[in-house]
């Protein structure tokens, strides 16, 4: 069952989309291609969890869905990858082959060496660049802080690290308008 907030968030997002973008929001059985899901985390274990979630709980396209964040360049180019401008290997994608991600799952706090990134800052960059998909931020902070983060409006979902993949998938699919 979808919460009222999830329904309102999905409805609001659908209103913002053009007809062409709305096709991407259709349930996967009504779409010509499966979901593209991208994760961003500096932890190897979390990147493996993202891929497990994408493949086993969201039935995402295994060829185009992955998780990045092993290197500073992957983190810094994530917006371009999510927008379909570059591949996860950070190579340019020809214009006719570009497809924007349906979902991004971003760690709230990332650090490699002396460099640090904040997931909600990356989410703001995505929205500023026109990203219309679902943005989910994953963090180790408490439930009240997660609710406050989500209430800011830039992200669609805030989840706790350690939340079950079933619960995460239900929230994500609800925000995609898929039940």
């Amino acid at each position: 069952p979808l919460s009222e907030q999830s329904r309102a968030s999905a409805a609001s997002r659908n209103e913002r989309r053009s007809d062409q973008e709305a096709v991407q929001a259709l349930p996967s059985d009504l779409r010509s291609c499966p979901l593209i899901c991208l994760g961003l985390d500096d932890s190897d274990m979390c990147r493996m969890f993202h891929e497990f979630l994408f493949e086993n709980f969201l039935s995402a396209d295994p060829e185009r869905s992955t998780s990045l964040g092993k290197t500073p360049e992957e983190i810094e180019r994530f917006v371009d990858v999510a927008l379909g401008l570059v591949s996860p290997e950070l190579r340019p994608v020809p214009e006719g082959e570009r497809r924007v991600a349906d979902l991004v799952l971003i760690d709230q706090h990332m650090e490699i060496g002396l460099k640090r990134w904040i997931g909600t800052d990356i989410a703001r960059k995505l929205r500023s660049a026109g990203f219309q998909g679902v943005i989910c931020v994953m963090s180790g902070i408490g439930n009240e802080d997660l609710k406050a983060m989500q209430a800011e409006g830039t992200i669609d979902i805030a989840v706790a690290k350690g939340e079950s993949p079933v619960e995460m998938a239900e929230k994500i699919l609800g925000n995609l308008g898929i039940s």
Side-chain angles (χ1 to χ4, degrees):
L2 296 177
S3 71
E4 198 167 309
Q5 183 179 10
S6 292
R7 284 190 192 104
S9 179
S12 172
R13 194 172 27 270
N14 283 334
E15 290 170 10
R16 296 190 313 247
R17 292 185 173 145
S18 70
D19 290 341
Q20 182 181 20
E21 291 165 329
V23 170
Q24 291 183 349
L26 292 173
S28 56
D29 58 343
L30 298 177
R31 294 154 43 104
S32 61
C33 43
L35 294 172
I36 294 179
C37 301
L38 295 173
L40 183 63
D41 203 299
D42 58 338
S43 161
D44 290 337
M45 185 67 75
C46 288
R47 287 192 304 275
M48 287 190 304
F49 172 77
H50 293 170
E51 292 184 8
F52 173 77
L53 175 72
F54 299 159
E55 187 172 330
N56 296 293
F57 291 87
L58 300 176
S59 301
D61 182 337
E63 298 297 317
R64 300 178 93 170
S65 298
T66 191
S67 189
L68 306 172
K70 187 172 185 159
T71 67
E73 186 179 20
E74 285 183 355
I75 296 172
E76 291 166 2
R77 300 290 311 273
F78 184 76
V79 170
D80 291 336
V81 176
L83 294 173
L85 303 174
V86 297
S87 69
E89 296 80 26
L90 307 180
R91 291 190 294 266
V93 175
E95 196 168 324
E97 297 174 26
R98 293 178 183 166
R99 180 152 173 245
V100 175
D102 299 292
L103 163 77
V104 294
L105 176 56
I106 306 171
D107 182 22
Q108 176 63 357
H109 298 283
M110 294 172 279
E111 182 177 335
I112 298 177
L114 298 176
K115 290 190 169 200
R116 293 186 175 149
W117 298 267
I118 302 295
T120 47
D121 291 344
I122 294 169
R124 283 184 198 91
K125 289 178 186 175
L126 279 162
R127 291 291 187 222
S128 293
F131 183 78
Q132 298 289 317
V134 171
I135 298 177
C136 180
V137 171
M138 200 159 95
S139 182
I141 61 177
N143 276 343
E144 292 306 312
D145 292 329
L146 288 171
K147 288 177 186 175
M149 184 188 305
Q150 188 170 326
E152 290 177 17
T154 301
I155 64 170
D156 300 294
I157 311 167
V159 296
K161 285 189 175 184
E163 190 167 325
S164 84
V166 171
E167 291 172 354
M168 280 188 188
E170 286 175 354
K171 290 177 183 178
I172 290 166
L173 292 171
N175 270 270
L176 286 166
I178 303 170
S179 44

